[in-house]
Coordinates of all heavy atoms in Angstrom, one line a residue:
Q5 N 22.7 -43.9 38.5 CA 22.7 -45.3 38.9 C 24.0 -45.7 39.6 O 24.0 -46.4 40.5 CB 22.4 -46.2 37.7 CG 21.1 -46.0 37.1 CD 20.9 -46.7 35.7 OE1 21.9 -46.8 34.9 NE2 19.8 -47.3 35.5
L6 N 25.1 -45.1 39.1 CA 26.4 -45.4 39.7 C 26.4 -44.8 41.2 O 26.9 -45.5 42.1 CB 27.5 -44.8 38.9 CG 28.0 -45.6 37.7 CD1 29.0 -44.8 36.9 CD2 28.5 -46.9 38.1
H7 N 25.8 -43.7 41.4 CA 25.7 -43.1 42.7 C 24.9 -44.0 43.7 O 25.2 -44.2 44.8 CB 25.1 -41.7 42.7 CG 26.1 -40.6 42.3 ND1 27.1 -40.2 43.2 CD2 26.3 -40.0 41.2 CE1 27.8 -39.3 42.6 NE2 27.4 -39.1 41.4
Q8 N 23.8 -44.5 43.1 CA 22.9 -45.4 43.9 C 23.7 -46.7 44.3 O 23.6 -47.2 45.4 CB 21.6 -45.8 43.2 CG 20.7 -44.6 43.1 CD 19.5 -44.9 42.2 OE1 19.4 -45.9 41.5 NE2 18.5 -44.0 42.3
L9 N 24.4 -47.2 43.3 CA 25.2 -48.4 43.5 C 26.3 -48.2 44.5 O 26.7 -49.0 45.4 CB 25.8 -48.9 42.2 CG 26.4 -50.3 42.1 CD1 25.3 -51.3 42.6 CD2 26.8 -50.6 40.7
L10 N 26.9 -47.0 44.5 CA 28.0 -46.6 45.4 C 27.4 -46.5 46.8 O 28.1 -47.0 47.8 CB 28.6 -45.2 45.0 CG 29.8 -44.8 45.8 CD1 30.9 -45.7 45.6 CD2 30.2 -43.4 45.4
I11 N 26.2 -46.0 47.0 CA 25.6 -46.0 48.3 C 25.4 -47.4 48.9 O 25.7 -47.7 50.0 CB 24.2 -45.2 48.3 CG1 24.5 -43.7 48.0 CG2 23.4 -45.4 49.5 CD1 23.3 -42.9 47.7
L12 N 24.9 -48.3 48.0 CA 24.7 -49.7 48.4 C 26.1 -50.4 48.8 O 26.2 -51.1 49.7 CB 24.0 -50.5 47.3 CG 22.5 -50.2 47.1 CD1 22.0 -50.9 45.9 CD2 21.7 -50.5 48.3
S13 N 27.1 -50.1 47.9 CA 28.4 -50.6 48.2 C 29.0 -50.1 49.5 O 29.6 -50.9 50.2 CB 29.3 -50.2 47.0 OG 30.6 -50.5 47.3
D14 N 28.7 -48.9 49.8 CA 29.2 -48.3 51.1 C 28.5 -49.0 52.3 O 29.2 -49.3 53.3 CB 28.9 -46.8 51.1 CG 29.5 -46.1 52.3 OD1 30.7 -46.4 52.6 OD2 28.8 -45.4 53.0
A15 N 27.2 -49.3 52.1 CA 26.5 -49.9 53.2 C 27.1 -51.4 53.4 O 27.3 -51.8 54.6 CB 25.0 -50.0 52.9
R16 N 27.3 -52.1 52.3 CA 27.9 -53.4 52.4 C 29.3 -53.4 53.0 O 29.6 -54.2 53.8 CB 27.9 -54.1 51.1 CG 26.5 -54.5 50.6 CD 26.5 -55.3 49.4 NE 27.1 -56.6 49.7 CZ 27.6 -57.4 48.8 NH1 27.7 -57.1 47.5 NH2 28.1 -58.6 49.1
K17 N 30.1 -52.4 52.6 CA 31.4 -52.3 53.1 C 31.4 -52.0 54.6 O 32.1 -52.7 55.4 CB 32.1 -51.1 52.4 CG 33.5 -50.8 53.0 CD 34.0 -49.5 52.4 CE 33.3 -48.4 53.1 NZ 33.8 -47.1 53.1
T18 N 30.5 -51.1 55.1 CA 30.4 -50.8 56.5 C 29.9 -52.0 57.3 O 30.4 -52.3 58.4 CB 29.4 -49.6 56.7 OG1 29.9 -48.5 55.9 CG2 29.2 -49.2 58.1
Q19 N 29.0 -52.8 56.7 CA 28.5 -54.0 57.4 C 29.6 -55.0 57.5 O 29.8 -55.6 58.6 CB 27.3 -54.5 56.6 CG 26.6 -55.7 57.2 CD 25.5 -56.2 56.4 OE1 25.4 -56.0 55.2 NE2 24.6 -56.9 57.0
A20 N 30.4 -55.2 56.5 CA 31.5 -56.2 56.5 C 32.5 -55.8 57.5 O 33.1 -56.6 58.3 CB 32.1 -56.3 55.1
L21 N 32.9 -54.5 57.6 CA 33.9 -54.0 58.5 C 33.4 -54.1 59.9 O 34.2 -54.5 60.8 CB 34.3 -52.6 58.2 CG 35.1 -52.4 56.9 CD1 35.3 -50.9 56.6 CD2 36.4 -53.1 57.0
A22 N 32.1 -53.9 60.2 CA 31.5 -54.0 61.5 C 31.6 -55.5 62.0 O 31.9 -55.8 63.1 CB 30.1 -53.5 61.5
A23 N 31.3 -56.4 61.1 CA 31.3 -57.8 61.4 C 32.7 -58.3 61.7 O 33.0 -59.0 62.7 CB 30.7 -58.7 60.2
L24 N 33.7 -57.8 60.9 CA 35.1 -58.1 61.2 C 35.5 -57.6 62.5 O 36.2 -58.2 63.3 CB 36.0 -57.6 60.1 CG 37.5 -57.7 60.3 CD1 37.9 -59.2 60.4 CD2 38.2 -57.0 59.1
E25 N 35.1 -56.3 62.8 CA 35.5 -55.7 64.1 C 34.9 -56.5 65.3 O 35.5 -56.7 66.3 CB 35.0 -54.3 64.1 CG 35.3 -53.6 65.4 CD 36.8 -53.6 65.9 OE1 37.7 -53.7 65.0 OE2 37.0 -53.7 67.1
R26 N 33.6 -57.0 65.2 CA 33.0 -57.7 66.2 C 33.8 -59.0 66.6 O 34.1 -59.3 67.7 CB 31.6 -58.1 65.9 CG 30.5 -57.1 66.2 CD 29.1 -57.6 66.1 NE 28.8 -58.2 64.8 CZ 28.4 -57.5 63.7 NH1 28.3 -56.2 63.7 NH2 28.1 -58.1 62.6
V27 N 34.2 -59.7 65.5 CA 34.9 -61.0 65.7 C 36.3 -60.7 66.2 O 36.9 -61.4 67.1 CB 34.9 -61.8 64.4 CG1 35.7 -63.1 64.6 CG2 33.5 -62.2 64.0
A28 N 37.0 -59.7 65.7 CA 38.3 -59.3 66.1 C 38.3 -58.8 67.5 O 39.2 -59.1 68.3 CB 38.9 -58.2 65.2
A29 N 37.2 -58.1 68.0 CA 37.1 -57.7 69.4 C 37.0 -58.9 70.3 O 37.6 -58.9 71.4 CB 35.9 -56.8 69.5
E30 N 36.3 -59.9 69.8 CA 36.2 -61.2 70.6 C 37.5 -61.8 70.8 O 37.9 -62.3 71.8 CB 35.1 -62.1 70.0 CG 35.0 -63.4 70.7 CD 34.4 -63.3 72.1 OE1 33.7 -62.3 72.4 OE2 34.6 -64.2 72.9
D31 N 38.3 -61.8 69.7 CA 39.6 -62.4 69.7 C 40.5 -61.6 70.6 O 41.3 -62.2 71.4 CB 40.2 -62.4 68.3 CG 41.6 -63.1 68.2 OD1 41.6 -64.3 68.6 OD2 42.5 -62.5 67.9
R32 N 40.4 -60.3 70.6 CA 41.3 -59.5 71.5 C 40.9 -59.7 72.9 O 41.7 -59.7 73.8 CB 41.1 -58.0 71.1 CG 41.8 -57.6 69.8 CD 41.9 -56.1 69.7 NE 40.6 -55.5 69.6 CZ 39.8 -55.3 68.6 NH1 40.3 -55.7 67.4 NH2 38.7 -54.7 68.6
K33 N 39.6 -59.9 73.2 CA 39.1 -60.2 74.5 C 39.7 -61.5 75.1 O 40.1 -61.6 76.2 CB 37.6 -60.2 74.6 CG 37.0 -60.3 75.9 CD 35.5 -60.2 75.8 CE 34.9 -61.6 76.2 NZ 33.5 -61.7 76.1
L34 N 39.7 -62.5 74.2 CA 40.2 -63.8 74.6 C 41.7 -63.7 74.8 O 42.3 -64.3 75.8 CB 40.0 -64.9 73.5 CG 38.5 -65.3 73.3 CD1 38.3 -66.1 72.1 CD2 38.0 -66.0 74.6
A35 N 42.4 -62.9 74.0 CA 43.9 -62.8 74.2 C 44.2 -62.0 75.5 O 45.1 -62.4 76.2 CB 44.5 -62.0 73.0
A36 N 43.4 -61.0 75.8 CA 43.6 -60.3 77.1 C 43.3 -61.2 78.3 O 44.0 -61.1 79.3 CB 42.6 -59.1 77.1
E37 N 42.3 -62.1 78.1 CA 42.0 -63.0 79.2 C 43.2 -64.0 79.4 O 43.6 -64.4 80.5 CB 40.7 -63.8 78.9 CG 40.3 -64.7 80.0 CD 39.9 -64.0 81.3 OE1 39.8 -62.8 81.4 OE2 39.8 -64.7 82.4
I38 N 43.8 -64.5 78.3 CA 45.0 -65.3 78.4 C 46.1 -64.6 79.1 O 46.8 -65.2 80.0 CB 45.4 -65.8 77.0 CG1 44.4 -66.8 76.4 CG2 46.8 -66.4 77.0 CD1 44.6 -67.1 75.0
D39 N 46.3 -63.4 78.7 CA 47.4 -62.6 79.4 C 47.1 -62.4 80.8 O 48.0 -62.5 81.7 CB 47.5 -61.2 78.7 CG 48.1 -61.3 77.3 OD1 48.7 -62.3 76.9 OD2 47.9 -60.2 76.6
R40 N 45.9 -62.2 81.2 CA 45.5 -62.0 82.6 C 45.8 -63.3 83.4 O 46.3 -63.3 84.5 CB 44.0 -61.6 82.7 CG 43.6 -61.2 84.2 CD 42.1 -60.9 84.2 NE 41.3 -62.1 84.1 CZ 41.1 -63.1 85.0 NH1 41.7 -63.0 86.2 NH2 40.3 -64.1 84.8
I41 N 45.4 -64.4 82.8 CA 45.5 -65.7 83.5 C 47.0 -66.1 83.7 O 47.4 -66.5 84.7 CB 44.7 -66.8 82.8 CG1 43.2 -66.5 83.0 CG2 45.1 -68.2 83.3 CD1 42.3 -67.5 82.2
T42 N 47.8 -65.9 82.6 CA 49.2 -66.2 82.7 C 49.9 -65.3 83.6 O 50.9 -65.7 84.3 CB 49.9 -66.2 81.3 OG1 49.6 -64.9 80.7 CG2 49.3 -67.3 80.4
A43 N 49.5 -64.0 83.7 CA 50.1 -63.1 84.7 C 49.8 -63.6 86.1 O 50.6 -63.5 87.0 CB 49.6 -61.7 84.5
M44 N 48.6 -64.1 86.3 CA 48.1 -64.6 87.6 C 49.0 -65.8 88.0 O 49.4 -65.9 89.1 CB 46.7 -65.1 87.5 CG 46.1 -65.5 88.8 SD 44.4 -66.3 88.6 CE 43.6 -65.2 87.5
A45 N 49.4 -66.6 87.0 CA 50.3 -67.8 87.2 C 51.6 -67.3 87.7 O 52.3 -67.9 88.6 CB 50.4 -68.6 86.0
G46 N 52.1 -66.2 87.1 CA 53.4 -65.6 87.6 C 53.4 -65.2 89.0 O 54.3 -65.4 89.7
T47 N 52.3 -64.6 89.4 CA 52.2 -64.2 90.8 C 52.1 -65.4 91.7 O 52.5 -65.3 92.9 CB 51.0 -63.2 91.0 OG1 49.8 -63.9 90.7 CG2 51.1 -62.0 90.2
D48 N 51.5 -66.5 91.2 CA 51.4 -67.7 92.1 C 52.8 -68.2 92.4 O 53.0 -68.8 93.5 CB 50.6 -68.8 91.3 CG 49.1 -68.5 91.3 OD1 48.7 -67.6 92.1 OD2 48.4 -69.2 90.6
F49 N 53.8 -68.1 91.5 CA 55.1 -68.5 91.9 C 55.7 -67.7 93.0 O 56.4 -68.2 93.9 CB 56.1 -68.4 90.7 CG 55.8 -69.6 89.7 CD1 55.3 -69.3 88.4 CD2 56.1 -70.9 90.1 CE1 55.1 -70.4 87.6 CE2 55.9 -71.9 89.2 CZ 55.4 -71.7 87.9
D50 N 55.3 -66.4 93.1 CA 55.7 -65.6 94.2 C 55.1 -66.0 95.5 O 55.7 -66.0 96.5 CB 55.4 -64.1 93.9 CG 56.2 -63.5 92.7 OD1 57.2 -64.1 92.4 OD2 55.7 -62.5 92.1
I51 N 53.8 -66.4 95.4 CA 53.1 -66.9 96.5 C 53.7 -68.2 97.1 O 53.8 -68.4 98.3 CB 51.6 -67.2 96.2 CG1 50.9 -65.8 95.9 CG2 50.9 -67.9 97.3 CD1 49.5 -66.0 95.3
S52 N 54.3 -69.0 96.2 CA 54.8 -70.3 96.6 C 56.0 -70.1 97.6 O 56.2 -70.9 98.5 CB 55.3 -71.1 95.4 OG 56.4 -70.5 94.8
S53 N 56.7 -69.0 97.4 CA 57.7 -68.8 98.4 C 57.2 -68.3 99.8 O 57.9 -68.3 100.7 CB 58.7 -67.7 97.9 OG 58.0 -66.5 97.7
A54 N 55.9 -68.0 99.8 CA 55.3 -67.5 101.0 C 54.6 -68.7 101.8 O 53.9 -68.4 102.8 CB 54.2 -66.4 100.7
G55 N 54.9 -69.9 101.4 CA 54.4 -71.0 102.2 C 53.1 -71.7 101.7 O 52.5 -72.4 102.5
V56 N 52.7 -71.4 100.5 CA 51.5 -72.1 99.9 C 51.9 -73.6 99.7 O 53.0 -73.8 99.2 CB 51.1 -71.4 98.6 CG1 49.9 -72.2 98.0 CG2 50.6 -70.0 98.9
P57 N 51.1 -74.5 100.1 CA 51.4 -75.9 99.9 C 51.6 -76.2 98.5 O 50.9 -75.8 97.6 CB 50.2 -76.7 100.5 CG 49.4 -75.7 101.3 CD 49.8 -74.3 100.8
P58 N 52.6 -77.1 98.2 CA 52.9 -77.4 96.8 C 51.7 -78.0 96.0 O 51.6 -77.8 94.8 CB 54.1 -78.4 96.9 CG 54.7 -78.1 98.2 CD 53.6 -77.6 99.1
K59 N 51.0 -78.8 96.7 CA 49.8 -79.5 96.1 C 48.8 -78.4 95.6 O 48.3 -78.5 94.5 CB 49.1 -80.4 97.0 CG 48.0 -81.2 96.4 CD 47.4 -82.2 97.4 CE 46.2 -82.9 96.7 NZ 45.6 -83.9 97.6
Q60 N 48.5 -77.4 96.5 CA 47.6 -76.3 96.1 C 48.2 -75.5 95.0 O 47.4 -75.2 94.1 CB 47.4 -75.4 97.4 CG 46.3 -74.4 97.2 CD 44.9 -75.0 97.2 OE1 44.7 -76.1 97.7 NE2 44.0 -74.3 96.5
L61 N 49.5 -75.3 95.0 CA 50.1 -74.5 93.9 C 50.0 -75.3 92.6 O 49.7 -74.8 91.5 CB 51.5 -74.2 94.2 CG 52.3 -73.4 93.2 CD1 51.6 -72.0 93.0 CD2 53.7 -73.2 93.6
G62 N 50.2 -76.6 92.7 CA 50.1 -77.5 91.5 C 48.7 -77.5 90.9 O 48.5 -77.4 89.7
L63 N 47.7 -77.5 91.8 CA 46.3 -77.5 91.3 C 46.0 -76.1 90.6 O 45.4 -76.1 89.6 CB 45.3 -77.7 92.4 CG 45.3 -79.1 93.0 CD1 44.4 -79.1 94.3 CD2 44.7 -80.0 92.0
R64 N 46.6 -75.1 91.2 CA 46.3 -73.7 90.7 C 47.0 -73.6 89.3 O 46.4 -73.1 88.3 CB 46.9 -72.7 91.6 CG 46.9 -71.3 91.2 CD 45.5 -70.8 91.4 NE 45.6 -69.3 91.3 CZ 44.6 -68.6 91.3 NH1 43.4 -69.1 91.4 NH2 44.6 -67.3 91.1
L65 N 48.2 -74.1 89.1 CA 48.9 -74.0 87.9 C 48.2 -74.9 86.8 O 48.2 -74.6 85.6 CB 50.4 -74.4 88.0 CG 51.2 -73.4 88.8 CD1 52.6 -73.8 89.0 CD2 51.1 -72.0 88.2
A66 N 47.7 -76.1 87.2 CA 47.0 -77.0 86.3 C 45.7 -76.2 85.8 O 45.4 -76.3 84.6 CB 46.6 -78.3 87.0
W67 N 45.0 -75.5 86.7 CA 43.8 -74.7 86.3 C 44.2 -73.7 85.3 O 43.5 -73.5 84.3 CB 43.2 -74.1 87.5 CG 42.1 -73.2 87.2 CD1 40.8 -73.5 86.9 CD2 42.2 -71.8 87.0 NE1 40.1 -72.4 86.5 CE2 40.9 -71.3 86.6 CE3 43.2 -70.8 87.1 CZ2 40.6 -70.0 86.3 CZ3 43.0 -69.5 86.8 CH2 41.7 -69.1 86.5
V68 N 45.4 -73.0 85.5 CA 45.8 -71.9 84.6 C 46.1 -72.6 83.3 O 45.7 -72.0 82.2 CB 47.1 -71.2 85.2 CG1 47.8 -70.4 84.1 CG2 46.7 -70.4 86.4

Side-chain angles (χ1 to χ4, degrees):
Q5 291 170 326
L6 281 172
H7 280 284
Q8 291 173 349
L9 195 56
L10 185 64
I11 291 168
L12 291 174
S13 171
D14 187 49
R16 288 188 67 204
K17 174 193 74 161
T18 302
Q19 184 181 24
L21 290 173
L24 176 59
E25 179 53 32
R26 276 191 303 276
V27 177
E30 178 66 23
D31 184 60
R32 287 191 302 272
K33 185 176 114 183
L34 292 170
E37 184 66 12
I38 289 169
D39 290 344
R40 187 185 70 76
I41 291 172
T42 53
M44 185 187 317
T47 60
D48 285 349
F49 284 114
D50 295 337
I51 294 172
S52 67
S53 62
V56 174
K59 183 177 180 181
Q60 189 69 24
L61 184 60
L63 289 173
R64 177 80 167 170
L65 292 177
W67 173 83
V68 166

